[in-house]
Amino acid sequence: MKQLTICGIIIIAALTAFLPRTSFTVKGKVTDSTGAVLSAVSVTEKATANITQTDTNGNFVITVANAGAILVFSSVGFNTKEIKISGQSMLHVQLCGSAANLEEVVVTAYSAVKKKSVTGAVVEEKEADMMLQGMAAGAAIRANASYPSPAAKQIRNHNYRLHQQRDEGFNTEDYDGIAENRFLTVKDNPLSTFSIDVDAASYSNVRRYVNNGQLPPAGAVRIEEMVNYFHYDYPQPEDDKPFSIYTELSAAPWNKDHRLVLVSLQGKKVATENIPSSNLVFLIDVSGSMEDANKLPLVKQSMKLLTDQLREKDKVAIVVYAGNAGLVLPATSGANTQTIKDAIERLKAGGSTAGGEGIKLAYNIARQNYMQGGNNRVILCTDGDFNIGASSDADMERLIEQERKSGVFLTVLGYGMGNYKDNKMQKLADKGNGNHAYIDDMGEAKKVLVSEFGGTLFTIAKDVKLQVEFNPAKVQAYRLIGYENRLLHKEDFNNDKKDAGELGSGHTVTALYEVIPAGVKSNFTEKVDPLKYQFEENNTKNNNSPELMTIKFRYKDPDGEKSKLIQHPVVDGHIALTHTSHNFRFAAAVAQFGMLLTRSAFMQQSSYNNVLALANSAIGTDQEGYRKGFLELVRRAGTLAKKEKRVEKEDELVGRK
């Protein structure tokens, strides 16, 4: 009998071993040591690509393989923590800040400031500021942080005082000025030509400013990038074309007498398993300016996240640069995940910044491992602060233009604050057949490198251009909202040598035109004297076409050199704003928000309340929560704008006295 019992136990155990393990769902909240909730904390099932993040209330939900799984909690500025679930379905997790002894900051004078580091070393003013920014990154500059911890408040207040007490020369962020598009009359300018732009760096950078208690400089606000940050449910292409075309027309939310025309492209979504083999080179800036917690440490976390997405057929090499450039990992199969991660983890920051050398070496490695018909790309991670070797904008543009001829594409990922060179990042991405994103936290890294993996890394069409011809019988004047840095001459549209933007797998591109209908009185159109030597013909005579405009698109296949043409007429029609799609209303709300941030000369009846009402009516499914996050961002910006107006009024009163 005893032997039968033992045999029965063995049989049951053997059968149980082959039963499928049931998944297990865990919920919880993450706070810091003071009890303040932490948003955008990465919650990962250990040794897997299963990842989520905490919401604005610090809450998370994740389904893991089994009740014995281990969860890893990580966030910039905090020590990483591992917790074995052990069958617990509810967890309360506390993270401890990695930057301690904040009270050791000593300000000795307004103009001569020295501070003691946590290691006891005395550092100069600029270095100390960088250190403070790094300490603050996890606590005070989190993408969705609703309740900054006392430590974050201490750093923020200290930095604010330093701003007020001395010269702000330590902040060397660079943004190109934007000459806002104005209204053009159809009589004089019947054609509007521009390159697409799928970059979304501006929105996450604007978010960083607002969540840090500042309105962004006007040059940081590129409205087209803010609109294109969000996902829209445009129809997928039905034939062999790489994208579908969608248009919509209604009244402009900020002026009922004007029309707003939405023009969009939806890139064909290619499943990850169907994306060709990838030959990737991680080009990582490890110079001294990358020491801050929201720079190299965040880069390392981001690249590990991307590494988890790679397949056996993919290859990755790692090139770094500081005072000079070097290869730290030769081309390695994506199956060797731990080898790649170990190489990333060993990276340390220090030295000057020879960006030009790094770019040359990265492209050289990419060419050596070139995959015919594959996805060949350099992924540059930097703050853009190049300071030795080829470093001027002109030098870098020439270098990238030369290198792109090899068929290797470029992705530029920007990190950090204080010395962030946005203008240089834009130029590199534009000239390198690439895209540009700004990574302000692990939530953004997940969006760009996991959720949008195909769009970020796999190009389905290159040199995509649009040219719109307006019907003068229907349109008096028009204005393209945004895309100021993407405008082309009308002759460039048919010139296949002219570089333009790239479209990635699943990417959407949205452009908005504000139109003044024919016959509407407007202060935005200015008359010029009649021409003496030109014969003016009335093009509206006998023009009975119902079309408002015709949109022409040109694009090339990723490995092609000859463009293809698509034409799409838009028939004049009027749909009430309330009956438009969620896509239309939300895109219009984001554009209106951008105009408010830049104090546009064309914002007319725009207001933060109008933006909130319009966006709130267009939330839709919003599975990722990005649109709800936009509402919160608008509220914060509105509060900052009110404060700024009060300060301006006070300054004006003081000036009068």
Side-chain angles (χ1 to χ4, degrees), residues 1-14:
M1 184 66 181
K2 185 176 181 181
Q3 289 178 332
L4 288 173
T5 302
I6 293 172
C7 287
I9 292 171
I10 293 172
I11 291 169
I12 291 170

Side-chain angles (χ1 to χ4, degrees), residues 165 433 522:
Q165 293 170 347
N433 280 350
S522 174

Side-chain angles (χ1 to χ4, degrees), residues 433-450:
N433 280 350
N435 44 45
H436 172 209
Y438 177 77
I439 309 296
D440 55 343
D441 69 359
M442 280 300 288
E444 189 64 18
K446 180 185 175 185
K447 177 181 184 291
V448 173
L449 300 174
V450 179

Side-chain angles (χ1 to χ4, degrees), residues 21-26 44-46 48 50 62-71 85:
R21 295 188 176 186
T22 57
S23 59
F24 190 78
T25 299
V26 184
T44 310
E45 182 180 0
K46 190 173 183 178
T48 74
N50 183 19
I62 187 170
T63 299
V64 294
N66 57 74
I70 296 174
L71 293 182
I85 295 172

Side-chain angles (χ1 to χ4, degrees), residues 513-533:
Y513 278 98
E514 183 176 354
V515 168
I516 302 176
V520 172
K521 290 184 178 181
S522 174
N523 294 325
F524 292 120
T525 57
E526 298 178 0
K527 293 182 179 181
V528 296
D529 293 337
L531 298 177
K532 183 177 180 180
Y533 303 110

Side-chain angles (χ1 to χ4, degrees), residues 70 100 221 253 307-308 346 407 574 628 642:
I70 296 174
V221 183
T307 300
D308 285 329
R346 287 193 293 269
H574 183 74
K628 290 187 180 70
K642 288 179 181 177

Side-chain angles (χ1 to χ4, degrees), residues 395-444:
D395 287 340
M396 299 305 289
E397 285 181 40
R398 282 193 293 269
L399 175 60
I400 291 295
E401 285 176 341
Q402 184 64 34
E403 296 290 357
R404 77 176 182 216
K405 295 176 183 177
S406 64
V408 177
F409 291 83
L410 177 68
T411 290
V412 180
L413 303 180
Y415 292 81
M417 56 177 286
N419 65 329
Y420 181 62
K421 309 302 183 188
D422 175 85
N423 50 0
K424 198 176 292 284
M425 305 287 214
Q426 284 282 300
K427 291 180 175 67
L428 291 176
D430 291 349
K431 299 297 181 182
N433 280 350
N435 44 45
H436 172 209
Y438 177 77
I439 309 296
D440 55 343
D441 69 359
M442 280 300 288
E444 189 64 18

